[in-house]
Amino acid sequence: KHPETLTWKTEYHKTKDDAKVAKAKYDYIEMCLKTGSLDWKRVYYGYETKTVQECFDFYQEQVLDDKLNRLTEARYHTSMHSFLKVFPGETRVAEIRAMKRKIYGREKTGIAIWKASFPDHSRRTINSNIRDCRRIFEYCRLEDFIKDEVIRKNDKYANDALPALDKKVWKQQELYMLDNHPGISEFDREVIQIYYMTGCRAKELVGFNYLNRDKELYWHHVDFSDNTIMVLRKRGKVRTEVVACDEVMAILKKWQDRGDERPLNFGYDIILDVIARVNLATGIKFTCHDLRRLNGQLVRPELGLQGAATSLGNSSLEVVDKHYAGMTREEKLEATNAMLITRRAWLEAGDA
């Protein structure tokens, strides 16, 4: 009889001894149920025998198969593959934390074996893999598929063990060059301006995103009468409003009037091409994410860290927006105006 559903099933065994072992197992389970012991789960579900591959397959079937974003699923598969390189699929998860191996001459235990096995990977990459695999094993544990906590929070590299982030700090002269350098074409300059003036992530504005069609931006997402663009933020489920400045809306209106099918009538690959050309023309080394940083660095002198976060739609403010008090249109407009004030000052200083 199933200890939870109380339904009966018939089991057949090849030998009398196998039948005796099975009966002893169910007798023990029945005793546990009578005494209130949860040890019956260990015996019934076979926690000690669950393997890494069984856990990954369980998570795939229960969670990943329902994911709409193929990139998210691919990221999990990358983390799984990394784990399987060190702990093969047939490894019993209950044995991982006690395992010991010598890695490059040093004895490591448990998850430290995994971390030490990839000296060529950045610690931030390893932390991302640990985060993903921990989520998998914790799901299995909470669903009573396994018993043990395979990966713990403190298995990740602590902040003081991580290298400093290499964040670009923009200079006033660089902004002046982005807006005025003669070697930048009109199209490239307008793409650059749209991104640093809105502070949006690259794929939040593109018109073509074959891996996540829901993110694609269409003209009906742009309201010229209200200076707003509705974008789907990172990990967002619904589109949120971005208040854009007049310069951005003027560029989009020009593109609409010339008959472009979508506001940014291209995909991420074109953005990379634009940035490569601007890098070459100006000698400034930057990425699309650095344009997002430029937005924050323009807003912060006027409105502080909170204002910069508002302009970027930062995740910490999303928590405030969802659980406490939503950001008003006036706050978003204030952030946009602050960006323009600092931009004007930088351009004047760059021209000096």
Side-chain angles (χ1 to χ4, degrees), residues 59-211:
Y59 192 77
Q60 176 70 49
E61 294 163 1
Q62 304 302 317
V63 179
L64 292 183
D65 284 349
D66 293 332
K67 291 287 185 185
L68 297 177
N69 191 332
R70 287 168 53 195
L71 288 177
T72 300
E73 185 174 2
R75 191 193 76 224
Y76 273 98
H77 286 168
T78 298
S79 297
M80 291 180 197
H81 182 64
S82 172
F83 196 84
L84 289 168
K85 279 186 175 180
V86 179
F87 303 110
E90 65 272 14
T91 305
R92 294 182 178 183
V93 295
E95 300 171 356
I96 289 175
R97 295 205 68 85
M99 285 183 176
K100 294 183 183 295
R101 290 184 201 168
K102 279 210 167 184
I103 307 295
Y104 299 107
R106 292 181 176 272
E107 188 172 89
K108 299 293 182 179
T109 304
I111 301 302
I113 298 170
W114 183 25
K115 293 161 66 177
S117 296
F118 299 100
D120 56 328
H121 291 188
S122 76
R123 292 190 170 189
R124 294 185 187 277
T125 296
I126 292 172
N127 270 4
S128 295
N129 290 337
I130 288 174
R131 176 202 62 209
D132 291 341
C133 287
R134 182 175 189 271
R135 193 168 291 160
I136 292 170
F137 288 122
E138 279 299 283
Y139 178 86
C140 292
R141 187 173 69 87
L142 294 173
E143 292 296 318
D144 288 328
F145 191 72
I146 60 175
K147 179 182 178 182
D148 299 276
E149 188 178 19
V150 182
I151 302 177
R152 297 170 184 163
K153 283 185 178 180
N154 61 3
D155 285 325
K156 294 171 65 175
Y157 286 108
N159 288 334
D160 59 6
L162 294 172
L165 279 173
D166 185 19
K167 293 185 290 188
K168 178 172 178 57
V169 177
W170 286 86
K171 300 174 183 176
Q172 295 172 343
Q173 183 62 31
E174 290 176 330
L175 174 62
Y176 183 82
M177 291 175 71
L178 290 182
D179 272 22
N180 296 282
H181 196 285
I184 303 176
S185 70
E186 181 181 9
F187 171 75
D188 288 356
R189 193 185 320 279
E190 289 173 344
V191 171
I192 296 293
Q193 288 176 335
I194 286 174
Y195 273 101
Y196 85 70
M197 289 188 187
T198 61
C200 290
R201 296 176 180 86
K203 294 182 181 178
E204 291 173 352
L205 292 180
V206 292
F208 297 91
N209 186 340
Y210 298 112
L211 293 177

Side-chain angles (χ1 to χ4, degrees), residues 164-345:
L165 279 173
D166 185 19
K167 293 185 290 188
K168 178 172 178 57
V169 177
W170 286 86
K171 300 174 183 176
Q172 295 172 343
Q173 183 62 31
E174 290 176 330
L175 174 62
Y176 183 82
M177 291 175 71
L178 290 182
D179 272 22
N180 296 282
H181 196 285
I184 303 176
S185 70
E186 181 181 9
F187 171 75
D188 288 356
R189 193 185 320 279
E190 289 173 344
V191 171
I192 296 293
Q193 288 176 335
I194 286 174
Y195 273 101
Y196 85 70
M197 289 188 187
T198 61
C200 290
R201 296 176 180 86
K203 294 182 181 178
E204 291 173 352
L205 292 180
V206 292
F208 297 91
N209 186 340
Y210 298 112
L211 293 177
N212 189 353
R213 306 310 294 256
D214 290 338
K215 270 187 175 288
E216 294 179 339
L217 192 72
Y218 291 87
W219 284 118
H220 65 264
H221 296 133
V222 180
D223 187 344
F224 289 103
S225 66
D226 207 27
N227 275 38
T228 56
I229 306 171
M230 301 300 293
V231 303
L232 189 60
R233 294 288 193 186
K234 185 178 181 180
R235 288 187 288 273
K237 301 298 182 184
V238 296
R239 289 184 177 268
T240 56
E241 179 186 76
V242 171
V243 177
C245 61
D246 290 339
E247 285 90 335
V248 168
M249 301 309 288
I251 293 170
L252 294 179
K253 189 69 175 71
K254 183 178 78 171
W255 289 356
Q256 185 185 54
D257 290 345
R258 73 185 183 192
D260 284 6
E261 179 187 351
R262 303 178 190 187
L264 275 69
N265 201 32
F266 45 81
Y268 183 58
D269 56 334
I270 298 299
I271 298 174
L272 295 180
D273 291 342
V274 168
I275 290 174
R277 289 194 295 268
V278 175
N279 279 339
L280 186 63
T282 63
I284 305 171
K285 288 186 65 177
F286 68 94
T287 65
C288 193
H289 207 68
D290 288 328
L291 294 176
R292 181 169 158 80
R293 290 192 176 100
L294 175 55
N295 179 277
Q297 291 168 25
L298 290 172
V299 174
R300 187 167 183 178
E302 288 291 319
L303 296 182
L305 182 60
Q306 188 77 356
T310 299
S311 182
L312 296 172
N314 185 268
S315 58
S316 62
L317 284 187
E318 287 174 8
V319 174
V320 176
D321 185 44
K322 183 177 180 181
H323 295 285
Y324 300 99
M327 287 181 286
T328 65
R329 171 180 166 77
E330 287 71 23
E331 288 175 312
K332 294 178 181 179
L333 185 59
E334 187 179 25
T336 300
N337 290 335
M339 179 274 297
L340 291 172
I341 291 170
T342 308
R343 171 177 176 261
R344 190 178 305 114

